[in-house]
Structure formats: C-alpha cells, structure tokens
Amino acid sequence: VLDALVADLAADPPARRLVVLTDDVVAPLYADRFVRRVRRRGLSACLIVFPHGESHKNRRTKGWLEDRMLELNVGRDAAVVALGGGVTGDLAGFVAATWHRGIPVVQVPTSLLAMADAALGGKTAVDLPGGKNLVGAFHQPWGLYADTRVLETLDERTYRDGFAEVVKAGAIGDLRFFRWLESHAEALLERDPVRLEQAIGACLRIKGGVVVRDETEHGLRALLNFGHTIGHALEAVSRYRTTHGRAVSIGMIVESVLAVRRVGFPEPHAERLRALIETFGLPVRYRGRMAPEAIVRATRRDKKVRDGRVRYALPRRLGSALPGSDVTIEIDDAEVRSALAAVN
Amino acid sequence: VLDALVADLAADPPARRLVVLTDDVVAPLYADRFVRRVRRRGLSACLIVFPHGESHKNRRTKGWLEDRMLELNVGRDAAVVALGGGVTGDLAGFVAATWHRGIPVVQVPTSLLAMADAALGGKTAVDLPGGKNLVGAFHQPWGLYADTRVLETLDERTYRDGFAEVVKAGAIGDLRFFRWLESHAEALLERDPVRLEQAIGACLRIKGGVVVRDETEHGLRALLNFGHTIGHALEAVSRYRTTHGRAVSIGMIVESVLAVRRVGFPEPHAERLRALIETFGLPVRYRGRMAPEAIVRATRRDKKVRDGRVRYALPRRLGSALPGSDVTIEIDDAEVRSALAAVN
C-alpha cells in the first residue's frame, strides 16, 4: 500500500511538497523509509516528529508543529501526510485544516483504530483539558491508505484497542457484521490478514455510509458516537491516560444500560455486546478509580449537549439506530449515575 | 442596524445561545447594550472581552477565549457574535470556525476597515510571530451587520486606517469607484454618513464579486491581496505594531512600483494611487526603521509563495486585474529590494 501511495502521489501530486507528520513510535518504523521512497520519485518531502500519546493531542503540540512548519518554510503549496494512529490523524489533520487556511492531508493510518474508524470521515481535532476533541475542523483527506501489514508490529494492547470501534461499527450499523465478528473474533485476534482486511472494509463501509449522508453531523452522524459520550468523559477525567478504545468499550457498556432502560434495547443484545467486547480483551467494567461525579460533570462538555442537557446516541437494537433523523436522546445526570453504578 | 440584528437574531436564531466576543475598546461602547437588548428578546447571551490590537490576534488569545468558553459551558448549540474591528472579526471568526468543529459566527464590524473589507468573505485567522494570518480557516458568517453610525466614535487614526482597503478595492476592481473616491475624499474624511454608506457598499460589491467567483482563493481572489504581500511583511517585522491599513498603504506603493516595472501598470495610475492614499492621510513612504532585508525575508512566509518563490497580486491598470485566472506574478527578491529602496 505504501508503494501504491507513493505511486499515486507521484502521478497526481496533491501539492508541490509533502510534510510528513508522525509520532516518535511510528517514525523509526516507517517514516524514514516513506520519505526516502517519496524523494526517490522526485517529490519534495520533510518530516516532523512529535511525542506519541493522546495526552499530546493538544493545542500546545499543534502550535509546536506549526512553528516547525514555519521554520521549514512550509507554504500553501504543501500537503500534510498524517502517518500514524488516531492521535496523529486527528492532530495532523487539524494542522492541515488550518495551515494557511487549509492544505490537503493524506491519511496513512497505522493502527487498527485509525484504519477502521478515525482516518475516515474528515473529523480532526485537539483535546482541551476539560474535554475531548473540543477544538477542531471537518477536513476531508485527499486520500486514505491503510496497509494492514503494519498491524503486525502493533503491541497487543494498542492492537486490541482498535476493536472497540470495530465492535461499535457492528453494534450501530450492521447486525450481520456483528454476527460475523462473533464468529471470527479468534482469527482477528491472531491478526489473520484476510479477516482483518474484511473487518476493516466492513467498518469503513458502515462509517462511510453514515458520513456521506451527514458529513458535518447535523443528525445521523451522531450515531457513530455510541459509547463516546461516556468514553470521552472517561478520557478527559483520566487526563487522557485511558486509551480511546478502552474508554469507548466501557462507554458502550454504560450506554447500553441506558439504551436498555430508555429506548428498549433488548437485554440479550446488551449481553452479546458485552460478551464480544470481552472476547477482544477490552474492559467492560468502570473501575471506581475515577469519581462518578467527575465523569458526569465531564459529560456536560460533550459536543452533543443541547440547552445544557447531555444527549446520548443510542442504538435501538444491535445494528440499528433510533428512527428519525435525530438519533440522540436526552438523559439526565441521575440516570447516568445509576448506569455507572450498575457496571461498577 | 443593531436593532435589525437583534430582530433577525430573535426571528431566526442561528443558535440557542450567543457568545459575544469583543475587545476592551469596543466592549464599553456597545457590548453591554447589545447583550442587554438580546436578552430582552429572550435570547441567551454571554460576553467575553479580550485585549485590543493586532498583537493579540494570536494562538494564545484564541486559547484563552476557548478556555473561557469552556468555563461558560458554551456548546455546539451556540453562535459567536464578532463585535469589533478587523482583529476581532478574524480572531472571533477563527474561534467559531474551530469550536466543536465549527459553530456559526455573526460579523458585526465596528471599524471602517472591517466594514469595507475584513468582515466579508469568510477569511479568519491568527498571526504567527513569523507571519500574518498563517493559521486560520474559511468560515462564512451567518450574517454581516455594519452600522456606519458607530464610525462616529472611531479615533481619527483608526478611522483613516480603513481607507487603505477602500482605495485598494477601487484600484483592483473598479476604475469608476476609484474616480468617485478621488472626488469624494473630503466628504469621506468628514465622515459624511451618506458618502460612507456608498463607499462601503461599493467595497462590499467589489469584494463580493471576487469572493463568489473564487471563495477559497485558487486564483482570482488573490487579487484582493494587492499591497498585502509587502503589507503583511511590514506588519510581521514591526511585530504587529504597524497597523494593517498603514502597512497595506505602503505595500500598495511598493507593489505599484513592481507593477509599473513588471506588468505595464501605467506610471500616471501609480501617481493617482499615491495621491489618493496621501489624501486619506495614509503613509506612502517606507521609512527605513525596518531593515529592508527583514522585510524581504518576511515576504517568503507569504501564503502566495509557490516553490519557494514569492508571488505578487498586481493590477494591470487601475481597476483591472492581470488577464487569466492566475492574477499573481513571481518576482525575485532583488526586484523587491529595489522597489523598497525606490519608495524610501
């Protein structure tokens, strides 16, 4: 896939110069090789490396990257290559969205989470201390290139993290895919390349189908946020030390309790969801190290808040959304507290 | 106009809550009154005041405003009202463009410069120490409300500053308007409200005509940058102490020298341009307090740079652009140095 990308870049360059943004974990594995290949094809390219981890996906790192780009005289005739996981895609995508009021970005996800979810759909952002992804932009990529072979080098914990979004895709959008995941979890955990490609393809189809209908989230797209209202709150309260996948896993469990109580999500579906999350080695219990009250408070910073009231995107059954164009429902803090307690 | 705005906001609210962003000069004059009127109509509104001046149009102030908005629980169901001059429009517009990935902004310009130019067209940005407007977004306003009566309270220097963009509009887009300015300069300097409204109307028509044809500046829109390549460089080298209007005035003089030498801009047109700028009490001479070399270096950060070469948007004659879709021309540093020396 890296070869295909380099060939595409050479055949129809998005810009006169490429700026590869990547973190210090991915850089030694792929960045130098990529930059060398690109240069061999006669394209101009430079590399900027920032420290890895969600706790660096903030305005300070964005400003630091911009200062480096200014030093390197990166102009409007450049394009960003976001080479890395979800954090890199969000951060580098946002840098591209605002550099000289917007230059192209090529998404090259290297984690399962980014391949199956984050790199598609044009959402870019940085976190604020008080809340996840609160400052950002919609900025669709020039292209998305996912090479499943790079998943072989992921450490087990980061690899498993990605299954949170894979399970979510099935839970909100496709019962058949959810069933397929139940049957193929073992092969996926063993990183079977054929199964992986099928799973990622299915996730991208499900997400793509939602995004093309509601690119800037006026309604339907909120559905992709299942598990994320609680998930983002957990991340913020943990100061972004809890990974996105683990936070969303717990988030889906808590929110499925809400779904059972409020929108008739069948209890057996909640059971299957929990079982599948557990199969992938992801947490299904909110461990009480974080104060429930802090989590409830953090949900008030969610982007789906309306009139000061927090709204949740809940599936009605496995694989299907609430009817109508608004897939969210208002839920008060007391119910959320009770759901948090139920999964403790 | 303030009444019309409040009525429009009440009749068809862009959001459930308004966040008025303004600077500490405009706040005591109009902000409290505006917020009171809006609230009287049953709309929710809050006010955030930041220090005035271009030197505050940076990432730090943007971050500070975001932190205040987070404290005030401003969500995606809010809209920003940018109440102030060009700095406020750019900064508050950019805050709106990225808050929760974009909320509506209402532009309420209070300076001549913002009314005639900055508030229209959707350009928003902050400055970097090394260059003007290098980080930003295109974010079209929900509405633009300009009340020429507020110009009565502008101090003379700030008022005159606005004529740089007014003269530019005539110089690049409309010879008849340029002639009209030559005949009505006195009335405009006396702040004749009828003439002012006509002048602002003409500027918005000229700029609007360009922007609708090339919203995100792939070609024609660059024409609005006449005087700005040198102008922005002067601003950056002065650490944003030279005002935008004064910098653009000198910029137009320097760039008209380039236009005479490179694209056959008639010498008598350059003379008329200089005379009109002087009539409005704006500078026509680059005073040597800033090193020419620093200015040349700063132009390399311009957004129109391509392949490391600086491009200038020059008119071919008063009121008309270069033919073709690319209205810019590459000019090397030596020629720029010589033009700078010529107007010293």
Side-chain angles (χ1 to χ4, degrees):
Chain A
V1 169
L2 223 61
D3 286 331
L5 168 57
V6 173
D8 287 357
L9 288 172
D12 175 25
R16 286 159 206 249
R17 189 177 177 195
L18 299 174
V19 187
V20 181
L21 303 184
T22 194
D23 71 30
D24 54 2
V25 170
V26 174
L29 292 169
Y30 305 110
D32 289 331
R33 209 196 315 174
F34 176 70
V35 168
R36 241 181 294 126
R37 280 201 218 177
V38 163
R39 284 186 182 149
R40 216 179 296 146
R41 296 295 290 258
L43 291 162
S44 163
C46 61
L47 174 67
I48 310 177
V49 180
F50 56 88
H52 71 278
E54 183 84 32
S55 63
H56 295 283
K57 200 183 96 179
N58 55 31
R59 294 172 294 192
R60 195 167 5 140
T61 311
K62 179 172 186 270
W64 183 87
L65 288 169
E66 289 162 351
D67 291 343
R68 298 296 78 69
M69 285 165 72
L70 193 67
E71 283 170 8
L72 292 166
N73 279 312
V74 174
R76 191 158 60 181
D77 57 354
V80 165
V81 177
L83 178 67
V87 168
T88 300
D90 280 7
L91 175 60
F94 189 33
V95 167
T98 64
W99 185 250
H100 290 212
R101 296 199 185 92
I103 62 175
V105 63
V106 187
Q107 291 284 356
V108 189
T110 60
S111 73
L112 177 58
L113 192 139
M115 287 184 194
D117 185 66
L120 186 79
K123 279 194 177 179
T124 72
V126 293
D127 303 329
L128 299 192
K132 173 119 173 161
N133 293 340
L134 291 189
V135 177
F138 290 97
H139 190 55
Q140 294 297 342
W142 176 86
L144 189 170
Y145 292 78
D147 189 333
T148 51
R149 279 179 310 169
V150 308
L151 299 178
E152 290 164 19
T153 62
L154 278 189
D155 66 277
E156 189 63 20
R157 207 178 150 92
T158 308
Y159 177 68
R160 293 195 172 206
D161 217 51
F163 285 107
E165 297 288 3
V166 174
V167 169
K168 182 205 75 182
I172 60 155
D174 189 343
L175 179 59
R176 279 180 55 199
F177 177 54
F178 192 91
R179 271 199 218 106
W180 183 91
L181 286 173
E182 291 175 322
S183 331
H184 297 87
E186 208 173 321
L188 288 166
L189 282 167
E190 283 164 7
R191 310 196 192 191
D192 177 325
V194 175
R195 295 304 180 207
L196 262 175
E197 217 166 297
Q198 290 172 325
I200 292 167
C203 290
L204 293 179
R205 267 193 304 280
I206 292 167
K207 182 166 182 179
V210 171
V211 172
V212 294
R213 284 195 278 165
D214 175 25
E215 188 178 335
T216 50
E217 198 165 320
H218 295 286
L220 184 67
R221 185 169 180 164
L223 188 58
L224 300 169
N225 247 260
F226 173 52
H228 284 63
T229 314
I230 294 297
H232 285 167
L234 290 169
E235 286 183 84
V237 172
S238 79
R239 295 191 191 174
Y240 304 106
R241 275 183 223 126
T242 298
T243 65
H244 184 64
R246 297 173 69 83
V248 167
S249 296
I250 301 167
M252 284 192 286
I253 300 293
V254 176
E255 294 184 21
S256 69
V257 172
L258 296 172
V260 168
R261 292 179 183 173
R262 285 295 302 276
V263 301
F265 190 69
E267 189 74 72
H269 285 199
E271 275 313 310
R272 282 170 70 184
L273 178 63
R274 166 196 297 269
L276 188 56
I277 291 171
E278 274 193 305
T279 302
F280 285 118
L282 289 164
V284 293
R285 218 164 281 286
Y286 149 65
R287 293 200 204 83
R289 269 175 300 176
M290 291 179 256
E293 210 39 49
I295 297 166
V296 169
R297 206 163 38 238
T299 62
R300 290 189 207 126
R301 260 82 188 261
D302 191 86
K303 291 192 287 305
K304 295 183 294 303
V305 164
R306 248 187 261 161
D307 276 336
R309 307 231 171 74
V310 189
R311 301 183 72 88
Y312 287 76
L314 303 177
R316 193 176 45 159
R317 313 174 49 79
L318 272 180
S320 58
L322 292 179
S325 64
D326 186 357
V327 296
T328 64
I329 181 172
E330 182 184 316
I331 295 186
D332 68 31
D333 293 349
E335 290 177 272
V336 176
R337 266 182 221 110
S338 153
L340 279 168
V343 303
N344 205 335
Chain B
V1 169
L2 223 63
D3 285 333
L5 167 57
V6 173
D8 286 357
L9 288 171
D12 176 24
R16 286 159 207 250
R17 189 175 176 195
L18 300 173
V19 187
V20 181
L21 302 184
T22 195
D23 71 30
D24 54 3
V25 170
V26 173
L29 291 169
Y30 305 110
D32 289 331
R33 208 196 316 174
F34 176 70
V35 168
R36 242 180 294 126
R37 280 201 219 177
V38 163
R39 284 185 182 150
R40 216 179 295 144
R41 296 295 289 259
L43 291 162
S44 162
C46 61
L47 175 67
I48 310 177
V49 180
F50 56 89
H52 71 278
E54 184 83 33
S55 62
H56 294 283
K57 200 183 97 179
N58 55 31
R59 294 172 295 192
R60 194 167 5 137
T61 311
K62 179 172 187 269
W64 183 86
L65 287 170
E66 289 161 352
D67 291 342
R68 295 297 79 70
M69 285 165 71
L70 193 66
E71 283 170 9
L72 292 165
N73 278 311
V74 174
R76 192 158 60 181
D77 57 354
V80 164
V81 177
L83 178 68
V87 168
T88 299
D90 281 7
L91 175 61
F94 190 32
V95 167
T98 64
W99 185 250
H100 289 212
R101 296 199 187 91
I103 61 174
V105 62
V106 187
Q107 291 285 356
V108 189
T110 60
S111 73
L112 176 59
L113 192 141
M115 287 184 194
D117 185 67
L120 186 78
K123 278 194 177 179
T124 71
V126 293
D127 303 328
L128 299 192
K132 172 117 174 164
N133 292 341
L134 291 188
V135 177
F138 290 97
H139 190 55
Q140 295 297 341
W142 176 85
L144 190 172
Y145 291 77
D147 190 333
T148 50
R149 279 180 308 171
V150 308
L151 299 178
E152 290 164 19
T153 61
L154 278 190
D155 67 278
E156 189 62 21
R157 208 178 149 90
T158 308
Y159 178 68
R160 293 194 171 206
D161 217 51
F163 285 106
E165 297 288 4
V166 174
V167 169
K168 183 205 73 181
I172 59 155
D174 189 344
L175 180 58
R176 278 181 55 199
F177 177 55
F178 192 90
R179 272 199 218 106
W180 183 91
L181 286 172
E182 292 175 321
S183 330
H184 296 87
E186 208 174 320
L188 289 166
L189 283 167
E190 283 164 7
R191 311 194 191 192
D192 176 325
V194 175
R195 297 301 180 208
L196 263 174
E197 218 167 297
Q198 290 172 326
I200 293 167
C203 290
L204 294 178
R205 268 192 304 278
I206 293 167
K207 182 166 183 180
V210 171
V211 171
V212 294
R213 284 195 280 165
D214 176 24
E215 187 178 336
T216 50
E217 197 164 321
H218 295 286
L220 184 67
R221 186 169 180 164
L223 188 58
L224 300 170
N225 247 261
F226 173 51
H228 284 63
T229 313
I230 295 296
H232 285 168
L234 290 169
E235 287 183 83
V237 172
S238 79
R239 294 190 193 175
Y240 303 105
R241 275 182 224 126
T242 298
T243 65
H244 184 63
R246 297 174 69 84
V248 167
S249 296
I250 302 167
M252 284 193 286
I253 300 293
V254 177
E255 294 184 20
S256 69
V257 172
L258 296 172
V260 168
R261 293 179 182 174
R262 286 294 303 275
V263 300
F265 189 68
E267 190 75 70
H269 284 200
E271 276 312 310
R272 281 170 72 183
L273 178 62
R274 166 197 296 269
L276 188 56
I277 291 171
E278 275 193 305
T279 301
F280 285 118
L282 289 164
V284 294
R285 217 164 281 286
Y286 149 64
R287 294 201 204 82
R289 269 174 299 178
M290 291 180 254
E293 210 39 50
I295 297 166
V296 169
R297 206 163 40 238
T299 62
R300 289 189 207 123
R301 260 82 188 259
D302 191 85
K303 290 192 287 305
K304 294 182 295 304
V305 165
R306 250 187 259 161
D307 275 336
R309 307 231 169 74
V310 189
R311 300 182 73 87
Y312 287 76
L314 303 177
R316 192 178 44 160
R317 316 174 47 78
L318 273 180
S320 58
L322 293 179
S325 65
D326 187 356
V327 296
T328 64
I329 180 172
E330 182 185 317
I331 294 186
D332 68 32
D333 293 350
E335 290 177 273
V336 175
R337 265 181 224 111
S338 154
L340 279 168
V343 303
N344 205 336

